[in-house]
Amino acid sequence: MQLPPADRTRSPYTGYTRAHWEAAADTLLAAVEPYATGDRALYHLPGDRTSWSGRLSDGLEGYARTLLLAAFRRDEKVLERYADGLAAGAGGVWPRIEDRGQPLVEAASIALALRLTRPLLWDRLDDSVRQRAAHWLGDALTAEPWPCNWELFPVTVAGFLQETGHEPDACRAAVDRGLARVEEWYAGGGWYTDGPRRAFDHYNGWALHLYPVLHAWLAGDAGLLDRYGARLEAHLADCARLFGGDGAPVHQGRSLTYRFATAAPLWLGALTGRTPLPPGETRRLASGALRYFLDRGAVDDRGLLTLGWHGPDETVLQGYSGPASPYWASKGFLGLLLPADHEVWTAVEQPGPAERSDALTPVAAPNWLLQSTRSDGLVRLHNHGSEDVRYDPHYTRLAYSTATRPSPAHDNSVIVGGDPSRTGIVPLGVGEGWAASRHTAGAGAQVVSLVVASGPVEVRAHLVAGAAPGTPVRVTGWTPGEGVRAELVPVHGLSGTGQVVGVTGPTDGATLFVALARLTGEPAPAPPADLVTVEVPNGEEIAVRWASGATRRFRFARAQDGTWSVRPQ
C-alpha cells in the first residue's frame, strides 16, 4: 500500500499523520469496489474460503464492514455507492436477521455507520428506502444473540432506530436487555469476560467497550457515558501495554485477522475524552499498529486485506471467518471522526509504555502479568486466568507476546504424559512481578504454575500432582520469533535442552519442576543463570534471588480438599 512519506518533523516514531490514515482508508475502499455486485448490496471478495454462514452472508459482511470504514472516512461520493447497496440489500437481497445468525453482527455495523453519517446518507434517502432498511434492521431488536459480545449488536441497532423514531419501546427494551446482560460479565478494572466463561482478549477493546461507549456518546446520555467511559479509561491504562515498541499487538485471543482494530479503543478514549493517555501517545500506539501490519503484508497486491496476521495465515482463523472478515479492522479508523485540528492529530508522537522503560504490570481481572522490556520493545503476556470453552492455542497457553505466535509444538505449556491439555484454569493471584494459576492437565493431573519475572528473564515453576509415579512431564518455553531468540534452562526436576522442544522430568508424587525462560531481542544477552539464582529447599518452596539482590519466596500448599495453591511468603 502506497502512503504519503512519513513526516519525521512531526514524529520520531511512525511519522503517520491524519493524511496517512486517510490515504490508507481510501486505498482500502477503492480496492473492494470492483467486487461489489451490480446492485452494490453485496461485496464478494476473492478467495476460495467461505465461512460457515455461507456465501450470501459473506457478501453482506463485505458490504457492512467496508461501509463502516466509509462512515469513518465520511467521503460523500463513496457513501453514495453504499446508499445504492442499502436500497437493494434491504429490499430483499440480504438474508434475514435471525437468532444467533451472522447477519445480526453485520446489522450492527450497518446501523452504526448510518448513525455516524446520518446527515450524509440516511437523511438523503427516499422515505421508502428508509422504511425498508428500518424494517430489515428491526429484526435485530428481538433476535437472540450468542452469549458474548454479540449481546451488544441489538443495542447498537436499537440506538440508531430509536434515534430515527422507529419502534421506541422495542428499541428501549433491546438496549436495556443487552446492557444488563453484558453487565454480568464486567470483571472490574476496565475488563470484561467475553461471555460467562473467563475469555479475555482484544474483544475487550474493539467490542465490549466500543459499542456501549459509542452508544452512550452518540445518545448524549451523560449517565451512561460516565459509567462506560470510566471503565474505558481504566482499560486503556492496561491496553496501552499490549502493544510492542514496533506497534505489534500481543498475539493472543480470537479473531486476530482483525489486526489494527486493536487501535479502536485508543481512538475511542480520545473521541470521548475518557483516556489516561497523552494525545501523542494515543496516535503513536494506533499508528504503530497500522504501520506494523501494512509493512508486513497485511494488504495484498490488489489492495485487499488478507485472511491472516501479517499475510495470509489460516492459523488465526475461525469457522466464522469469511473473505471479508478482516474488514472489522475498519474499527481501527475510528480516529478519523476526530477533526483535523484535534490534538491527537497535531501533537508530536510520544513513546508507548514498551518503549519507555522495563515494566512488570499485574492485571487483576484476567490474572495476567504483562512483562515488557525497553531494549527490544517486546511485550510478553503471562496468562494465568484466561481460557476458552475448548482447548484453544490462542487462549490456553501460559504465555504470549508481540513477537511470537502459538506453535503446533505446544510452546509455553506443561505437557503431562504426552497430553498438552490445560483446562479449568483457576487464577491463584497476580502481584508485583509474579502470577500463578492452577489447571487440570493430562490424565486428570493437577498443575499449579507460577511465573516470577524481572527484566526479560522468567522463573517458571510447576507443581504437578495426581499423576502416576514416573509420568513424564515436558515443560516448553517460547518459540523463536521475528528477530528474537528464545531460551529455556532446566533448574530443578528437569533436564535436556530448551526452547520449544522443552525440558523433561518424571513425577514422583507431588513434584515441583522449575526452569528459567527468556524471550529477547537483545543480540548478546548475559546467560539467564547469571541474572537469577533459584533455590528449592524442599519440594514445596522456592526462593528467587535476582542479580540486583531482590529476593522473592513462594510456598506451594495442599488444602484439605486436595487442591494445591501457591502464595508469596
Side-chain angles (χ1 to χ4, degrees):
M1 179 181 290
Q2 295 296 317
L3 298 181
D7 185 354
R8 296 302 182 188
T9 65
R10 296 273 303 283
S11 167
Y13 301 103
T14 68
Y16 274 22
T17 63
R18 183 185 175 89
H20 293 88
W21 282 87
E22 290 174 343
D26 291 342
T27 302
L28 290 171
L29 287 167
V32 299
E33 180 58 21
Y35 302 100
T37 52
D39 57 13
R40 294 182 173 174
L42 304 168
Y43 282 69
H44 290 303
L45 301 187
D48 56 4
R49 182 183 177 90
T50 302
S51 78
W52 59 28
S53 297
R55 189 168 187 269
L56 179 59
S57 177
D58 290 351
L60 167 61
E61 184 173 77
Y63 173 91
R65 299 188 179 196
T66 58
L67 168 61
L68 189 59
L69 176 56
F72 294 142
R73 183 64 180 95
R74 301 179 70 82
D75 184 315
E76 293 186 39
K77 290 184 178 179
V78 174
L79 289 172
E80 287 176 5
R81 300 199 297 262
Y82 285 92
D84 294 340
L86 182 68
V93 173
W94 292 338
R96 285 193 60 189
I97 300 168
E98 298 176 328
D99 291 351
R100 298 185 175 185
Q102 189 65 29
L104 176 58
V105 184
E106 309 318 319
S109 288
I110 293 171
L112 179 57
L114 293 173
R115 195 175 187 185
L116 290 170
T117 61
R118 185 175 171 184
L120 302 176
L121 179 51
W122 181 259
D123 290 347
R124 298 180 182 183
L125 296 172
D126 291 342
D127 186 64
S128 61
V129 175
R130 289 198 295 263
Q131 292 300 323
R132 290 199 302 272
H135 178 74
W136 183 81
L137 288 167
D139 285 340
L141 303 180
T142 54
E144 184 64 25
W146 288 104
C148 60
N149 66 89
W150 279 45
E151 298 281 7
L152 294 170
F153 301 144
V155 173
T156 303
V157 174
F160 168 67
L161 292 179
Q162 189 173 35
E163 182 180 282
T164 55
H166 290 82
E167 301 185 64
D169 292 340
C171 289
R172 191 176 304 108
V175 170
D176 292 345
R177 181 175 62 250
L179 295 181
R181 288 178 176 177
V182 172
E183 192 69 19
E184 298 175 8
W185 305 327
Y186 184 61
W191 287 87
Y192 294 85
T193 66
D194 191 10
R197 60 195 186 280
R198 289 187 56 84
F200 296 93
D201 62 8
H202 293 296
Y203 272 89
N204 263 272
W206 65 39
L208 292 159
H209 283 290
L210 182 73
Y211 292 112
V213 173
L214 273 182
H215 170 71
W217 180 69
L218 290 167
D221 190 321
L224 277 184
L225 188 57
D226 281 346
R227 174 192 293 178
Y228 296 119
R231 293 177 181 180
L232 172 65
E233 193 164 359
H235 178 69
L236 287 174
D238 293 328
C239 177
R241 296 187 175 276
L242 297 176
F243 294 88
D246 59 359
V250 170
H251 193 97
Q252 179 268 344
R254 285 190 302 118
S255 303
L256 291 174
T257 194
Y258 301 161
R259 297 179 172 107
F260 41 83
T262 48
L266 302 168
W267 295 125
L268 184 63
L271 184 68
T272 59
R274 302 308 297 259
T275 179
L277 308 178
E281 184 178 337
T282 293
R283 192 169 89 254
R284 162 64 184 138
L285 294 171
S287 293
L290 178 64
R291 184 164 189 167
Y292 174 82
F293 289 109
L294 295 186
D295 286 352
R296 289 166 176 79
V299 176
D300 66 16
D301 55 7
R302 296 166 294 191
L304 299 173
L305 286 171
T306 59
L307 278 159
W309 182 245
H310 292 162
D313 181 359
E314 291 190 357
T315 67
V316 302
L317 306 182
Q318 287 75 34
Y320 54 76
S321 303
S325 291
Y327 286 85
W328 240 35
S330 298
K331 295 179 177 185
F333 288 84
L334 180 69
L336 291 178
L337 294 181
L338 294 163
D341 60 356
H342 191 279
E343 57 185 348
V344 163
W345 295 120
T346 60
V348 173
E349 286 184 45
Q350 296 177 246
E355 300 169 282
R356 294 198 297 264
S357 62
D358 290 3
L360 294 163
T361 306
V363 186
N367 211 65
W368 287 349
L369 178 67
L370 303 180
Q371 175 190 15
S372 62
T373 41
R374 180 178 181 274
S375 62
D376 50 20
L378 292 183
V379 178
R380 308 143 189 91
L381 185 161
H382 297 283
N383 172 35
H384 288 267
S386 180
E387 65 178 335
D388 204 353
V389 291
R390 61 199 180 284
Y391 182 86
D392 186 327
H394 290 90
Y395 271 103
T396 44
R397 303 282 169 88
L398 283 158
Y400 301 90
S401 83
T402 53
T404 61
R405 60 188 63 193
S407 77
H410 297 286
D411 61 302
N412 293 313
S413 298
V414 180
I415 302 169
V416 180
D419 187 339
S421 299
R422 187 185 184 212
T423 59
I425 299 173
V426 177
L428 295 178
V430 60
E432 185 178 352
W434 69 275
S437 60
R438 179 175 64 244
H439 71 270
T440 301
Q446 182 184 161
V447 177
V448 173
S449 296
L450 167 71
V451 62
V452 188
S454 179
V457 180
E458 311 154 29
V459 177
R460 297 187 181 185
H462 308 283
L463 186 139
V464 179
T471 298
V473 172
R474 180 160 65 97
V475 174
T476 62
W478 295 101
T479 303
E482 179 185 349
V484 296
R485 58 186 291 176
E487 300 162 273
L488 188 66
V489 180
V491 171
H492 179 81
L494 299 163
S495 61
T497 56
Q499 296 187 22
V500 74
V501 174
V503 289
T504 61
T507 60
D508 182 13
T511 308
L512 186 59
F513 301 94
V514 184
L516 304 182
R518 178 166 61 184
L519 180 72
T520 181
E522 295 182 12
D530 290 354
L531 303 175
V532 63
T533 301
V534 181
E535 298 175 359
V536 185
N538 56 55
E540 298 178 5
E541 295 182 12
I542 67 167
V544 178
R545 181 174 293 106
W546 300 104
S548 64
T551 300
R552 300 296 304 269
R553 300 179 185 276
F554 296 84
R555 179 177 178 81
F556 294 80
R558 185 175 183 271
Q560 291 185 347
D561 63 2
T563 59
W564 285 81
S565 62
V566 61
R567 298 297 299 174
Q569 299 296 295

